[in-house]
Amino acid sequence: MLCRMRIITYTIYSLHKMMKLIIYKSLLGSSRIYAQWLSKAIKADVYPMDVVTDELIEKAACIIIIAGTYFLNSPIISFTKSKWRVLREKRVYLINIAGFSIESVTRKIVYNRLPVEIKERVNYYDLQGKIGPVRAGGVKIENIDKLIADINQ
């Protein structure tokens, strides 16, 4: 009986530890590409932002939200705010993708639009995207190396 309890406990712990969810919104394709690469690297399920429910979020221990910056705004802000009730107790990573420079003031504007409570509880990353379908040179798999290491800790 004790052995069976240990197996059940180990199975529940393993399942809980492995439940990772990647949520993305992609206009030009960069966020989708990063979501797919990241999914393979960390063994996570991937869903487009518009189909994600509270129930799906509740099942995961680690949530990665990826979206681009459009006109000084990012869907990661509105999505995270609207789902904060179910996200607040999870490990959350917000990934902002943009075609402009990582050091750009615009990227800081996006981050600063997050409420303080959310900024204090999430991990935030900026990744290089592309501008239009031609300039795809910034989207590189090595851009997610640090993110992968942080998630796998």
Side-chain angles (χ1 to χ4, degrees), residues 114-121:
L114 287 167
V116 173
E117 176 191 8
I118 293 175
K119 282 191 235 182
E120 291 174 347
R121 307 268 318 254

Side-chain angles (χ1 to χ4, degrees), residues 67-75 96-98 100 106-107 110 124 126:
T69 299
Y70 313 107
F71 304 106
L72 300 179
N73 204 356
S74 176
N96 181 41
I97 310 293
F100 37 83
T106 304
R107 288 180 181 264
V110 170
Y124 183 88
D126 280 310

Side-chain angles (χ1 to χ4, degrees), residues 102-147:
I102 294 289
E103 295 80 27
S104 168
V105 172
T106 304
R107 288 180 181 264
K108 292 174 182 60
I109 291 170
V110 170
Y111 176 75
N112 287 332
R113 287 189 174 160
L114 287 167
V116 173
E117 176 191 8
I118 293 175
K119 282 191 235 182
E120 291 174 347
R121 307 268 318 254
V122 302
N123 301 285
Y124 183 88
Y125 294 81
D126 280 310
L127 292 180
Q128 187 65 46
K130 61 184 178 179
I131 299 173
V134 178
R135 187 172 162 220
V139 180
K140 299 175 185 169
I141 197 163
E142 58 267 19
N143 292 350
I144 61 172
D145 289 346
K146 181 180 179 339
L147 176 61

Side-chain angles (χ1 to χ4, degrees), residues 6-19:
R6 283 186 183 156
I7 292 170
I8 291 170
T9 302
Y10 177 76
T11 303
I12 291 170
Y13 174 76
S14 296
L15 287 173
H16 176 74
K17 187 173 179 161
M18 291 174 39
M19 297 171 94

Side-chain angles (χ1 to χ4, degrees), residues 3-135:
C3 182
R4 182 180 290 173
M5 287 178 61
R6 283 186 183 156
I7 292 170
I8 291 170
T9 302
Y10 177 76
T11 303
I12 291 170
Y13 174 76
S14 296
L15 287 173
H16 176 74
K17 187 173 179 161
M18 291 174 39
M19 297 171 94
K20 296 174 186 151
L21 175 64
I22 298 172
I23 302 165
Y24 75 93
K25 181 163 182 124
S26 191
L27 182 64
L28 299 174
S30 300
S31 298
R32 181 182 44 78
I33 291 167
Y34 281 127
Q36 291 170 344
W37 286 339
L38 193 56
S39 170
K40 289 177 185 168
I42 65 169
K43 297 177 179 42
D45 292 330
V46 181
Y47 290 90
M49 194 175 281
D50 58 345
V51 301
V52 173
T53 63
D54 290 356
E55 292 77 21
L56 186 59
I57 293 171
E58 287 170 354
K59 292 177 183 176
C62 178
I63 314 288
I64 299 99
I65 304 168
I66 306 173
T69 299
Y70 313 107
F71 304 106
L72 300 179
N73 204 356
S74 176
I76 62 173
I77 296 170
S78 55
F79 182 85
T80 304
K81 285 179 178 179
S82 71
K83 301 291 187 186
W84 189 242
R85 180 186 59 76
V86 290
L87 289 169
R88 77 168 25 113
E89 300 301 322
K90 310 287 184 180
R91 281 179 56 204
V92 178
Y93 296 83
L94 302 180
I95 318 303
N96 181 41
I97 310 293
F100 37 83
S101 146
I102 294 289
E103 295 80 27
S104 168
V105 172
T106 304
R107 288 180 181 264
K108 292 174 182 60
I109 291 170
V110 170
Y111 176 75
N112 287 332
R113 287 189 174 160
L114 287 167
V116 173
E117 176 191 8
I118 293 175
K119 282 191 235 182
E120 291 174 347
R121 307 268 318 254
V122 302
N123 301 285
Y124 183 88
Y125 294 81
D126 280 310
L127 292 180
Q128 187 65 46
K130 61 184 178 179
I131 299 173
V134 178
R135 187 172 162 220

